[in-house]
Structure formats: C-alpha cells, structure tokens
C-alpha cells in the first residue's frame, strides 16, 4: 500500500481502537486516548519507542506534579506557572528530551484545569491511563502494520 494512503489509515485505526478501548474501560474523558494515539502514530514512523517513552514519562511527571500542586497549594496563575517551570527543571535535571516537557505541561494543564479538585488524583491517574492507552495502541498499530508501508513519509 502506498504511504500516501497507508499513513492516514494507520492513524485512523490507532484512533478508533484507542477510543473503543477507552470507552470500554469507562474512562471519564475517553477522547484523550485517541488524541494520544493520533499524536504518537503521526510521529511514530521513525523512533516509535523513543517517542512513546518521552511522551509517557513527561505525562507521568506532569500529572503527578499537577496532583501535588492541586493538593497542597491554592490554584492561581502564579502557582500554575511555577508548576510548569518546576516540571521543566525536573525534565532537564533528568536529561529528558524537550518533548517530555511539552507533553508533561499539557497533562499538567489538563489536570489542574479540572473543576473537581477533590478528585485530583483520580483525574491525574485517568489522564495517565488515557495517554498510556493511546500510546500503546499506536505502537501496536505501527508494529502490526505491513512492513514498508511507512517509507517516504
């Protein structure tokens, strides 16, 4: 199959499977799983595992930091900005790829923006599961896709 057709089909399969799994698991916001699958599958053609690992680690750090922020500080824009700066420093200290900060900051933003602050650890866990599910599905689709269909991207 020509890459012009194969790449969009691969992305669509990853999105549909991850949405279906997220809905079957009754995740509170199932749309995050296919979003992660779409982003990961579009970048997954070269270095899929490294890309997925960076996204997963960044997301994990982001949701934990967000849950800690919501649990122990009042929400305001200064604390939000400080949490993102701290996330960046943690990612840099751990020598993570800059994309880890990007995905961690997105996850942090989603968690701290949730209006139900009393459920912050559940929200953080659900966001991580959503992202991990989407990434796992994208990697499986990339691995299972017929060889040679992703050349010349």
């Amino acid at each position: 199959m020509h890459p012009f057709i194969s790449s969009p089909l691969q992305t669509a399969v990853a999105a549909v499977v991850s949405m279906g799994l997220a809905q079957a698991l009754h995740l509170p916001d199932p749309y995050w799983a296919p979003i992660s699958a779409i982003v990961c599958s579009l970048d997954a053609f070269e270095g899929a595992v490294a890309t997925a690992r960076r996204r997963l680690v960044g997301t994990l750090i982001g949701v934990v930091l967000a849950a800690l922020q919501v649990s122990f500080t009042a929400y305001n824009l200064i604390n939000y900005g400080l949490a993102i700066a701290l996330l960046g420093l943690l990612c840099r200290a751990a020598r993570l790829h800059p994309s880890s900060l990007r995905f961690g900051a997105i996850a942090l933003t989603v968690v701290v923006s949730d209006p139900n602050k009393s459920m912050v650890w559940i929200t953080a866990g659900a966001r991580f599961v959503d992202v991990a599910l989407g990434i796992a599905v994208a990697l499986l689709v990339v691995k299972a896709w017929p060889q040679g269909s992703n050349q010349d991207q």
Side-chain angles (χ1 to χ4, degrees):
M1 182 180 299
H2 192 275
F4 182 80
I5 296 168
S6 181
S7 175
L9 290 177
Q10 184 176 5
T11 302
V13 168
V16 168
V17 170
S18 61
M19 177 66 95
L21 287 172
Q23 289 173 340
L25 292 171
H26 302 288
L27 294 174
D29 298 308
Y31 51 85
W32 286 109
I35 288 171
S36 293
I38 291 164
V39 171
C40 194
S41 66
L42 290 175
D43 286 344
F45 303 122
E46 291 184 19
V49 174
T51 300
R53 184 179 60 248
R54 289 191 296 253
R55 290 196 170 126
L56 200 57
V57 170
T59 298
L60 178 62
I61 296 170
V63 298
V64 169
L65 192 55
L68 288 170
Q69 179 198 353
V70 170
S71 295
F72 298 109
T73 67
Y75 174 78
N76 59 51
L77 292 177
I78 292 171
N79 286 341
Y80 169 66
L82 289 172
I84 291 178
L86 179 59
L87 172 66
L89 292 172
L90 290 171
C91 288
R92 182 160 293 209
R95 299 179 187 262
L96 298 175
H97 189 272
S99 65
S100 297
L101 169 58
R102 182 175 4 145
F103 287 93
I106 291 167
L108 185 146
T109 300
V110 170
V111 173
V112 301
S113 298
D114 191 312
N116 190 354
K117 304 297 186 206
S118 67
M119 303 285 287
V120 67
W121 287 98
I122 292 172
T123 301
R127 287 306 69 75
F128 182 75
V129 170
D130 290 333
V131 170
L133 178 65
I135 289 170
V137 168
L139 288 175
L140 288 172
V141 169
V142 167
K143 285 288 192 189
W145 212 257
Q147 293 295 326
S149 64
N150 293 326
Q151 295 173 357
D152 302 321
Q153 296 293 312

